[in-house]
Amino acid sequence: MKRFQRTGAWGVVAALAVLLSACAGLGKSGGGADKPFDYEVITLKNGMNVITLEDHSTPIAAVQVWYHVGSKNEQPDRRGFAHMFEHMMFRGTDHLGPEDHFKYIQASGGNNNAYTAFDQTVYVQEVPSNQVELVLWLEAERMGFLRIDEEGFNTEREVVKEEYRMGAEQPYGTVADKLLAELFQGGAYSWTPIGKMDELDAATAAELQEFWNTYYVPNNATLVVAGDIKHDEVQDLAEKYFGWMPRYDDPPALAVPRGPINTEELKIKIKEKNGPAPIVGIAYRTVSAGSPDELPLELMGTILGGNESSRIYRRLVTEDALATVAMGAAFSLEIDGLAAVGAVLSPFGADKDGALTALREEIERLRAEGPTEEELEKAKNNALRDAVKSQMSISSKAQVLGSAAVVEHDLEGVNRRFDRIRAVTTDDIQRVAQEYLLPERQMEVIIEPSMLGFLMNQISKTAPEEEEETESATSTTSEGQVGKPGLVRPDYLPDTPPMADMLQAELDVETYEITLPNGLRVVAIPNHEVPYVTATLGMQAGAFTDPPEMPGAASIAYQMLTRGTDLHTYEELTDELDRYAISIAGSASMDTADINMGAVTDQLDRGMEFLAEVAMMPTFPKEELEDLITQTRTGKAIEEKNPDYLADREVRRRLYGDHPYSRSADPELADLDNITAEGLRSWYGEYARPDLSTLYIAGDVSKAKAFALATKYFAKWTTEGEAPELSVPDVPASQPTHIYLVDKSGDQSQIRIAQRGITRRDPLYFPTRILNQVLGGGFGSRLNKSIRVDKGLTYAVFGGFWAQRFAGSFYVTTFSKNESVAEAIVGILEEMDSMKTKAPTDEELDMAKKYLAGNFVISRETPQSIVGDLWMIQTQNLPDDYLRNYLAGIGSTTSEDVKSAANKLMNDDELVIVVVGPADDLKADLEKIAPVTVVK
């Protein structure tokens, strides 16, 4: 299940080293209209709150159940129970098996997941709108009649351990556990929601049952349903499925209260064996969620370090070159809060004292002088833009409502946020800075690589500082218990899931197109639901066109577009973009490249002007390139410590040889020295052309306005000569099955199994969509049932055929503790083989088709999501009616078609198997599967 206490983006993790990680899953409310969230709320007699929001823009619904229990509610010797329960809630009831919740949601065409945070555990579903009753039946089942037994507990405990190892193996993966206890002074937020594995080992199923009896009760739950629904109908269904349950005792007070706030400066130093770049930061404890000072503090954090024109970014990165990344933020949890600034320093030489001095000086300058009106305008405009964007999807609206009700205790605040943002003054910002950023309340944080720890990690079989596993406790309730004591279902409740007929999946999106005289294709996709517009300038030349002597050129070139133009320097451009809350970013994938612009509607004209400027007039200044290379070098130094990265890189190299797909679009560390400003100008000048580009304008704009803006700003874009030919060499021939063992110490190993695949143009593509779902496309897949549910060998396993522009691949990805790596690989190979001998059952085929049909609409909810489809159709040379024919192709696929495709496409003799883990421990067992080459 999803968790939000860790984040995968190295920049966020590294820059604040999880000083800010706790806020990643907390939704904020929307704005932009007098009452942007026209919700209704009722409270059932048992205390359960029901919040509904009608949104008839798309025939889907988001259903979320928020339990007011997170890691802060745990006993200090049972840390991890809340997250453990997130897993246990999918283990079934007397009416449901351990895979059935996922199975029924997928069969409805929907998606579901869950996450655990410090203050809440949330179960989320997104389904076709006529399936809301099914979800409420499933949620009521596990609220009242969950099965808790030793077998299920033991299996999920092993899954959680793999999840824990997965996080710990990442760069800076152990920092949060060490840092939170210091920041929150032993209080309720002093440990991460993942918990402590030795404490889970010591727990029994009986203790887990008591936790469920205490916290998973109606009066500790909030049901949020948003989408194409009617208030009264959902309220009646909530009464039907939950109203009969009794009210239970209110949960107890916290076993661990809020920790004391330090009254003198603290200095926190953490040695991190798997963190190549030093990080420094300064943090302060602030206010809880819902405080009147929460919003001014958020805006203060934006002013200090929220973007590239912020004070600390300009000071530490742009001007003084003390850091490669710098950022700041403030966020609040239910009973506490943090404000923090931080900087990632270069791993190749760092001035920690200089960076900390600069951070302190910028904090003191804000306290003494306050922000300028221009800084406040930028911060407010960015907050207003984010408030508007929170209304773009139904699931994000549900998230906003749930967070406001459960964590902030201010549901109506969702409709005041817009006005509250506008009301903040410079005096408010200076006041909160003076009140909370006190010198005596500073917490100085230094996270630095531990050379000794790093060396020990490389030469020892067991990495230091890992938690020891202990023998799991046994329980007197080994046969388990179903349901809360004495609870009996009413006779009127159905015994089987009330699944509705599938809605007819249709893609009803209006698009309009013109072509400018210079060859630029312009596509407008109007949608006036939210006052926000995006423009995507798609360019056909991706990283596959990189010069041989300069791998990564396309990626770096597109990142450089906003670092200087004929009209603006980097600093001037970021000032303007941040002032008007316009986002512009360029990026390159292996197949294509694009420049994306986003703005609220009243800034669209300005946004289009800036988009044209960065696309048509970039200067690639040498000094800015040097800064970007330095930042990229630091990021790569961190990324290349990541076992996932190492596994994926090795697969690409072994699968594609000399083909461009053998590398990523981004440059490797070794490639950075070869990238020059002159080379980027030459490459961009050759391939960035209007006749190789398409401009998509999607959102709150008319077709006439879209075409007028495109003509105004892009008609003058001209190039000379014929467009270059876009081609790639043939994919090299496959090699016999072989295992490549990348030698890296740790307790957990990454596993990849790959082979060649097909493109979307292949007649077998539609059968592979079904094959993917049956084999490894979700929780109910054969791989997940075998490797995770039955054996508990991993936290997640996925697999299937994936198509790119010029080639395709078959890919299975997972991880497992070292002792079970060979077992996991053998299990995966067996399930792959079963696809060739055991055609999908009628149930598997039906569920896969229903999921693909229902999810077809869900995944295309916004006009922006349609852009990706249209661009894919164009660049992969698919017929214009591809999307209209997609569901017909899926619907006509038979079980025998899937089995036939498996036999034609899946070849046991041509597999690339990659394992990243300790070679000495793994090699002997792996050699029993296939020949092994150790990669140092």
Side-chain angles (χ1 to χ4, degrees):
M1 306 342 141
K2 289 187 293 187
R3 289 182 296 110
F4 291 115
Q5 76 274 17
R6 297 186 190 275
T7 172
W10 80 265
V12 177
V13 173
L16 295 179
V18 288
L19 291 177
L20 307 177
S21 60
C23 67
L26 301 179
K28 289 300 176 187
S29 51
D34 291 338
K35 194 173 183 182
F37 291 86
D38 192 13
Y39 63 84
E40 288 188 7
V41 59
I42 64 169
T43 302
L44 305 182
K45 290 181 180 179
N46 55 22
M48 183 175 182
N49 292 317
V50 180
I51 303 169
T52 54
L53 179 72
E54 292 189 13
D55 180 338
H56 302 291
S57 59
T58 310
I60 60 177
V63 184
Q64 301 180 0
V65 178
W66 290 62
Y67 288 96
H68 194 186
V69 55
S71 58
K72 81 171 187 302
N73 300 93
E74 296 162 348
Q75 296 294 321
D77 61 346
R78 289 296 182 265
R79 291 169 291 183
F81 257 38
H83 174 250
M84 185 72 220
F85 230 91
E86 174 204 316
H87 285 250
M88 291 300 296
M89 285 286 279
F90 290 94
R91 291 299 302 184
T93 70
D94 54 339
H95 286 169
L96 293 167
E99 305 160 58
D100 284 353
H101 193 106
F102 281 91
K103 182 180 75 174
Y104 286 117
I105 294 296
Q106 282 199 313
S108 77
N111 301 309
N112 69 306
N113 215 316
Y115 70 86
T116 306
F118 292 100
D119 297 311
Q120 76 272 16
T121 305
V122 185
Y123 299 86
V124 297
Q125 285 94 177
E126 196 170 15
V127 294
S129 54
N130 67 333
Q131 302 289 1
V132 168
E133 184 171 5
L134 165 68
V135 181
L136 299 189
W137 183 89
L138 290 167
E139 291 290 2
E141 271 292 301
R142 60 183 178 184
M143 180 185 285
F145 300 99
L146 188 69
R147 181 185 298 278
I148 301 175
D149 56 28
E150 285 295 338
E151 180 182 0
F153 183 27
N154 291 337
T155 298
E156 290 303 320
R157 182 161 46 194
E158 292 305 308
V159 171
V160 169
K161 288 179 182 178
E162 291 304 325
E163 186 180 4
Y164 177 85
R165 294 185 186 101
M166 174 183 66
E169 294 289 336
Q170 306 302 311
Y172 305 99
T174 65
V175 167
D177 290 324
K178 304 169 187 175
L179 187 56
L180 289 175
E182 301 281 356
L183 294 177
F184 290 104
Q185 293 293 291
Y189 297 126
S190 294
W191 58 91
T192 61
I194 191 70
K196 301 292 183 181
M197 299 305 102
D198 57 339
E199 295 175 11
L200 290 182
D201 273 331
T204 66
E207 291 178 283
L208 211 63
Q209 176 81 41
E210 182 59 29
F211 189 87
W212 180 64
N213 290 343
T214 301
Y215 293 103
Y216 280 74
V217 295
N219 43 301
N220 200 46
T222 296
L223 171 67
V224 183
V225 183
D228 188 23
I229 52 98
K230 293 187 180 299
H231 295 296
D232 56 348
E233 292 178 0
V234 173
Q235 291 164 2
D236 289 345
L237 288 173
E239 180 64 42
K240 175 180 178 180
Y241 286 103
F242 298 97
W244 61 272
M245 296 182 189
R247 183 185 183 99
Y248 290 82
D249 291 340
D250 290 335
L254 299 179
V256 179
R258 174 178 177 170
I261 294 178
N262 55 299
T263 55
E264 58 183 36
E265 182 181 4
L266 296 178
K267 294 184 181 293
I268 304 166
K269 183 172 289 189
I270 295 175
K271 296 282 189 179
E272 174 56 39
K273 65 180 182 296
N274 196 23
I279 301 165
V280 298
I282 297 174
Y284 305 83
R285 298 269 292 286
T286 58
V287 300
S288 59
S291 165
D293 287 341
E294 181 183 9
L295 180 57
L297 283 164
E298 286 180 16
L299 297 179
M300 179 201 73
T302 301
I303 291 167
L304 275 173
N307 45 50
E308 292 182 28
S309 69
S310 65
R311 291 190 174 196
I312 66 168
Y313 191 96
R314 281 282 171 83
R315 171 74 184 277
L316 276 79
V317 179
T318 307
E319 297 172 3
D320 295 348
L322 289 166
T324 59
V325 177
M327 62 177 64
F331 67 92
S332 294
L333 300 166
E334 187 178 12
I335 63 169
D336 213 331
L338 276 181
V341 293
V344 184
L345 312 184
S346 171
F348 311 103
D351 181 1
K352 293 189 287 291
D353 291 338
L356 284 166
T357 296
L359 290 175
R360 285 193 174 90
E361 287 176 355
E362 292 305 319
I363 290 169
E364 285 307 310
R365 186 162 70 90
L366 183 65
R367 283 167 43 82
E369 303 170 6
T372 66
E373 289 290 349
E374 180 180 310
E375 286 177 316
L376 180 59
E377 179 189 17
K378 286 194 292 186
K380 289 164 74 169
N381 283 343
N382 279 270
L384 293 170
R385 176 201 61 199
D386 292 344
V388 170
K389 290 178 68 176
S390 74
Q391 302 174 62
M392 291 183 69
S393 73
I394 288 171
S395 60
S396 67
K397 293 177 182 179
Q399 175 76 19
V400 164
L401 291 168
S403 179
V406 176
V407 179
E408 300 165 33
H409 306 285
D410 182 17
L411 180 56
E412 184 51 32
V414 299
N415 288 322
R416 294 195 306 269
R417 184 169 176 82
F418 198 85
D419 290 335
R420 289 179 59 232
I421 292 170
R422 292 190 179 280
V424 176
T425 67
T426 56
D427 288 342
D428 293 328
I429 303 297
Q430 185 174 17
R431 176 183 59 79
V432 295
Q434 291 177 342
E435 183 172 346
Y436 298 104
L437 308 189
L438 297 170
E440 62 269 24
R441 286 171 59 165
Q442 283 186 2
M443 294 179 283
E444 175 189 287
V445 178
I446 299 177
I447 301 168
E448 56 186 17
S450 167
M451 185 56 66
L452 176 62
F454 175 77
L455 292 174
M456 289 292 292
N457 194 26
Q458 303 307 304
I459 65 178
S460 64
K461 293 184 179 180
T462 303
E465 301 180 334
E466 294 288 344
E467 293 197 39
E468 294 184 2
E469 287 195 23
T470 57
E471 184 176 348
S472 299
T474 58
S475 172
T476 57
T477 59
S478 60
E479 295 184 1
Q481 177 177 320
V482 177
K484 291 184 171 63
L487 195 65
V488 179
R489 294 180 182 87
D491 292 338
Y492 65 79
L493 287 182
D495 291 332
T496 58
M499 183 172 288
D501 293 335
M502 288 295 297
L503 288 176
Q504 184 65 37
E506 295 180 356
L507 186 63
D508 184 20
V509 179
E510 291 184 320
T511 64
Y512 306 91
E513 180 178 333
I514 63 170
T515 299
L516 300 183
N518 58 10
L520 179 65
R521 185 167 169 253
V522 181
V523 180
I525 312 171
N527 183 300
H528 302 289
E529 182 186 358
V530 177
Y532 193 78
V533 186
T534 60
T536 299
L537 183 62
M539 298 182 171
Q540 296 231 24
F544 70 90
T545 63
D546 284 350
E549 72 279 4
M550 199 164 55
S555 175
I556 296 297
Y558 277 88
Q559 293 178 63
M560 282 291 296
L561 296 182
T562 55
R563 290 188 172 243
T565 69
D566 290 341
L567 304 180
H568 293 91
T569 66
Y570 172 44
E571 289 82 1
E572 291 169 345
L573 188 58
T574 52
D575 274 337
E576 289 296 294
L577 294 176
D578 289 340
R579 177 178 295 115
Y580 299 109
I582 298 168
S583 62
I584 294 183
S587 64
S589 68
M590 187 53 64
D591 286 342
T592 62
D594 55 55
I595 313 171
N596 288 284
M597 186 280 296
V600 295
T601 304
D602 61 4
Q603 295 298 334
L604 174 58
D605 194 298
R606 183 178 277 109
M608 291 293 290
E609 182 177 13
F610 281 123
L611 176 63
E613 179 182 329
V614 301
M616 296 159 52
M617 293 181 280
T619 54
F620 302 100
K622 183 178 179 180
E623 62 278 10
E624 295 298 343
L625 176 61
E626 291 172 352
D627 290 345
L628 177 59
I629 292 296
T630 299
Q631 295 169 7
T632 305
R633 197 183 305 278
T634 300
K636 282 295 177 181
I638 295 170
E639 186 178 38
E640 292 186 12
K641 297 289 185 186
N642 191 319
D644 295 279
Y645 178 86
L646 297 175
D648 293 336
R649 182 177 67 181
E650 194 66 26
V651 167
R652 290 193 301 269
R653 291 175 173 179
R654 302 297 178 176
L655 200 60
Y656 287 109
D658 294 330
H659 191 274
Y661 283 179
S662 66
R663 58 181 177 83
S664 68
D666 296 331
E668 301 279 347
L669 261 176
D671 300 325
L672 292 173
D673 289 336
N674 298 323
I675 295 177
T676 66
E678 294 77 10
L680 296 183
R681 290 190 196 101
S682 176
W683 178 89
Y684 190 80
E686 180 178 3
Y687 288 104
R689 304 169 52 100
D691 50 358
L692 290 178
S693 304
T694 300
L695 176 63
Y696 298 93
I697 305 175
D700 186 26
V701 61
S702 68
K703 67 175 182 178
K705 175 75 168 178
F707 294 158
L709 289 172
T711 302
K712 178 180 179 180
Y713 292 115
F714 287 91
K716 55 190 174 184
W717 186 13
T718 59
T719 53
E720 297 180 358
E722 295 293 323
E725 182 181 355
L726 302 180
S727 61
V728 296
D730 292 336
V731 174
S734 298
Q735 300 298 313
T737 295
H738 201 89
I739 297 175
Y740 299 93
L741 176 54
V742 181
D743 190 14
K744 188 179 190 304
S745 63
D747 291 335
Q748 184 187 77
S749 296
Q750 289 289 325
I751 300 168
R752 304 289 186 271
I753 299 176
Q755 68 166 70
R756 299 290 164 67
I758 58 175
T759 68
R760 288 178 173 85
R761 298 181 295 278
D762 194 291
L764 293 176
Y765 179 74
F766 290 125
T768 64
R769 300 307 88 198
I770 302 291
L771 186 152
N772 287 2
Q773 287 303 119
V774 174
L775 176 64
F779 196 86
S781 69
R782 292 181 182 182
L783 280 175
N784 197 73
K785 183 180 187 307
S786 171
I787 308 302
R788 172 178 168 160
V789 177
D790 292 346
K791 300 174 183 176
L793 300 179
T794 188
Y795 168 68
V797 56
F798 300 100
F801 286 89
W802 316 109
Q804 291 179 261
R805 183 176 181 178
F806 302 108
S809 62
F810 172 85
Y811 211 79
V812 176
T813 175
T814 191
F815 46 85
S816 190
K817 62 183 178 182
N818 295 334
E819 295 83 353
S820 58
V821 166
E823 181 185 358
I825 292 174
V826 169
I828 292 169
L829 295 177
E830 289 174 348
E831 293 304 327
M832 289 170 57
D833 189 63
S834 78
M835 294 304 304
K836 296 188 286 186
T837 58
K838 300 176 184 177
T841 64
D842 291 344
E843 182 182 28
E844 287 177 322
L845 183 67
D846 182 61
M847 186 168 71
K849 288 185 176 183
K850 286 180 176 178
Y851 172 76
L852 292 170
N855 201 251
F856 183 80
V857 175
I858 291 175
S859 61
R860 291 162 178 83
E861 177 185 357
T862 66
Q864 288 76 20
S865 63
I866 301 298
V867 169
D869 284 321
L870 299 178
W871 185 228
M872 178 264 294
I873 288 171
Q874 180 181 349
T875 57
Q876 298 192 18
N877 298 318
L878 299 171
D880 291 341
D881 59 356
Y882 174 80
L883 286 181
R884 288 193 295 273
N885 293 335
Y886 176 85
L887 291 177
I890 297 296
S892 63
T893 299
T894 68
S895 288
E896 286 304 314
D897 292 335
V898 177
K899 180 180 176 183
S900 176
N903 279 279
K904 291 177 181 178
L905 299 176
M906 299 173 71
N907 191 338
D908 296 346
D909 298 327
E910 297 179 352
L911 298 177
V912 171
I913 302 175
V914 171
V915 177
V916 179
D920 289 346
D921 295 343
L922 299 173
K923 185 179 179 183
D925 285 339
L926 294 179
E927 286 177 329
K928 299 174 185 177
I929 301 172
V932 175
T933 295
V934 176
V935 180
K936 295 293 184 181

